[in-house]
């Protein structure tokens, strides 16, 4: 009887423990579901708020809001084409600078860097990512822009500016500030983000795969091109898209060095503006519903651009993963 009682007691304890574990799992699953739904709710709330705030401007100007360059608060005539142009061009310049430099740094750290230098260099890259954007802006305005005005821009004007067709991108006086300067600053800012992610995914390549390639007589470049990049292309693409998202939405550093001019110029050395810089500069001075609504509409456009870029990046990653699976 004692053994039967002990068995029944143990069985009851096991049943209670199993029931308690099921309740804990259900509570954990419901909590995580609630957190996920909260993110969607916040995203939906932001979207609805932007659309509601942008409606007066969209009703007043229609499609012309995104197709015209004029920005005149006095006559309450607003167009978003110049900020959209500045946002896209500065981001393209930033990616053109940041991606190859980031890849080079990541490859050096993972493939060729001496052991004693690898850790300090990695820490330096991570510290670079922690510098506030306003510090980049101040440095860009007082150090980098004068350097561009006295050295880089005159050189570009006298060389590339003399090439027919291409020279239009490098015309005009060397202001120092402008779209090119802002794009280069953004390139420096996105560099640590792309580098850190690229370095981390490069280090996930199994050492045996690398050693096998070297054992077959492959050079370092062949190992990188034929082994490392195919193995890590999904993570690398994710890092690039993260850097692009940072470039699209950067505000303070760009505001300092872009010139804040609502106009489109064929020269990338001319002053311009971006969506985030326009909002930061003018939101506190916006008087009237149409003016305020136009700035909110700029925010909605930036939101849509970022959402479109991230969606395309996700589709690209899915395609890469599918190809890798095949």
């Amino acid at each position: 009887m004692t053994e039967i009682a002990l068995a029944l007691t143990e069985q009851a304890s096991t049943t209670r423990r199993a029931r308690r574990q099921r309740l804990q799992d259900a509570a954990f699953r419901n909590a995580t579901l609630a957190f996920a739904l909260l993110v969607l709710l916040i995203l939906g709330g932001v979207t609805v708020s932007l659309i509601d705030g942008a409606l007066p401007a969209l009703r007043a100007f229609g499609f012309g809001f995104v197709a015209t360059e004029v920005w005149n608060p006095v006559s309450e005539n607003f167009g978003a084409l110049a900020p959209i142009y500045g946002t896209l061009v500065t981001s393209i310049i930033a990616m053109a600078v940041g991606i190859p430099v980031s890849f080079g740094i990541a490859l050096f750290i993972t493939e060729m860097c001496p052991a004693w230098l690898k850790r300090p260099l990695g820490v330096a890259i991570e510290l670079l990512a922690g510098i506030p954007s306003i510090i980049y802006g101040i440095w860009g305005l007082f150090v980098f822009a004068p350097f561009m005005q006295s050295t880089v821009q005159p050189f570009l004007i006298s060389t590339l500016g003399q090439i027919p067709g291409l020279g239009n991108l490098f015309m005009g006086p060397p202001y120092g500030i402008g779209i090119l300067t802002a794009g280069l600053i953004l390139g420096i800012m996105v560099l640590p983000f792309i580098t850190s992610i690229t370095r981390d995914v490069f280090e996930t390549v199994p050492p045996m795969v690398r050693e096998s390639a070297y054992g077959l007589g492959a050079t370092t470049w062949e190992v990188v091109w034929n082994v490392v990049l195919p193995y890590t292309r999904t993570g690398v693409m994710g890092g690039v898209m993260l850097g692009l998202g940072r470039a699209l939405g950067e505000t303070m550093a760009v505001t300092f060095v872009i010139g804040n001019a609502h106009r489109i110029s064929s020269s990338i050395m001319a002053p311009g503006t971006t969506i985030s810089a326009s909002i930061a500069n003018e939101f506190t001075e916006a008087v009237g519903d149409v003016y305020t609504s136009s700035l909110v509409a700029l925010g909605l456009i930036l939101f849509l651009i970022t959402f479109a870029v991230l969606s395309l990046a996700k589709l690209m990653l899915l395609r890469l993963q599918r190809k890798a699976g095949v």
Side-chain angles (χ1 to χ4, degrees):
M1 294 296 294
T2 304
E3 293 178 355
I4 296 175
L6 290 174
L8 292 175
T9 302
E10 184 177 354
Q11 182 179 5
S13 175
T14 302
T15 303
R16 287 194 301 270
R17 185 164 59 251
R19 186 183 299 112
R20 184 169 60 252
Q21 289 176 347
R22 286 196 299 269
L23 291 175
Q24 291 174 349
D25 290 342
F28 181 74
R29 182 173 60 254
N30 293 332
T32 53
L33 176 62
F35 295 151
L37 293 177
L38 179 61
V39 172
L40 295 178
L41 181 63
I42 294 173
L43 180 62
V46 170
T47 305
V48 170
S49 299
L50 288 173
I51 294 174
D52 181 66
L55 280 177
L58 298 179
R59 289 196 187 103
F61 306 110
F63 179 75
F65 182 74
V66 297
T68 57
E69 178 184 349
V70 62
W71 188 272
N72 192 338
V74 177
S75 62
E76 291 194 334
N77 191 10
F78 301 101
L81 188 59
I84 293 173
Y85 170 82
T87 300
L88 296 178
V89 173
T90 53
S91 298
I92 291 172
I93 295 173
M95 291 297 100
V97 172
I99 291 176
V101 176
S102 299
F103 277 21
I105 296 174
L107 289 174
F108 176 75
I109 292 176
T110 56
E111 301 294 331
M112 294 168 281
C113 184
W116 62 270
L117 183 60
K118 182 176 293 188
R119 184 172 180 81
L121 192 57
V123 172
I125 294 296
E126 293 170 358
L127 289 177
L128 192 64
I131 298 177
S133 59
I134 193 170
I135 303 301
Y136 281 106
I138 293 173
W139 173 78
L141 181 63
F142 292 106
V143 178
F144 191 67
F147 171 75
M148 291 287 293
Q149 183 182 28
S150 61
T151 306
V152 178
Q153 290 185 350
F155 172 77
L156 293 176
I157 293 172
S158 61
T159 54
L160 298 180
Q162 307 303 315
I163 301 176
L166 182 62
N168 293 331
L169 294 174
F170 304 97
M171 293 175 57
Y175 293 108
I177 59 175
I179 290 179
L180 176 61
T181 304
L184 294 177
I185 293 291
L186 285 177
I188 298 173
M189 294 182 68
V190 304
L191 187 149
F193 295 94
I194 302 176
T195 301
S196 297
I197 295 178
T198 305
R199 178 201 62 192
D200 291 341
V201 297
F202 281 175
E203 289 178 345
T204 63
V205 179
M208 184 177 64
V209 177
R210 282 194 179 95
E211 293 169 1
S212 299
Y214 283 120
L216 292 173
T219 63
T220 302
W221 169 251
E222 289 172 337
V223 171
V224 170
W225 185 255
N226 297 313
V227 177
V228 176
L229 286 179
Y231 190 90
T232 61
R233 56 187 174 185
T234 301
V236 169
M237 187 63 65
V240 170
M241 290 303 131
L242 176 64
L244 179 57
R246 173 70 188 273
L248 288 170
E250 179 54 41
T251 303
M252 293 309 300
V254 174
T255 303
F256 273 82
V257 298
I258 198 169
N260 302 305
H262 282 273
R263 65 173 180 266
I264 297 176
S265 175
S266 60
S267 174
I268 60 175
M269 294 192 298
T273 189
T274 63
I275 294 175
S276 55
S278 297
I279 296 173
N281 280 324
E282 303 184 34
F283 205 86
T284 57
E285 302 175 359
V287 178
D289 294 338
V290 176
Y291 194 178
T292 303
S293 178
S294 298
L295 294 175
V296 177
L298 286 179
L300 176 62
I301 292 171
L302 180 60
F303 176 81
L304 294 177
I305 291 174
T306 306
F307 182 79
V309 168
L310 295 179
S311 299
L312 291 175
K314 185 63 177 178
L315 292 175
M316 190 178 300
L317 291 176
L318 290 175
R319 174 176 287 185
L320 291 174
Q321 290 174 349
R322 193 178 298 115
K323 288 183 178 179
V326 171

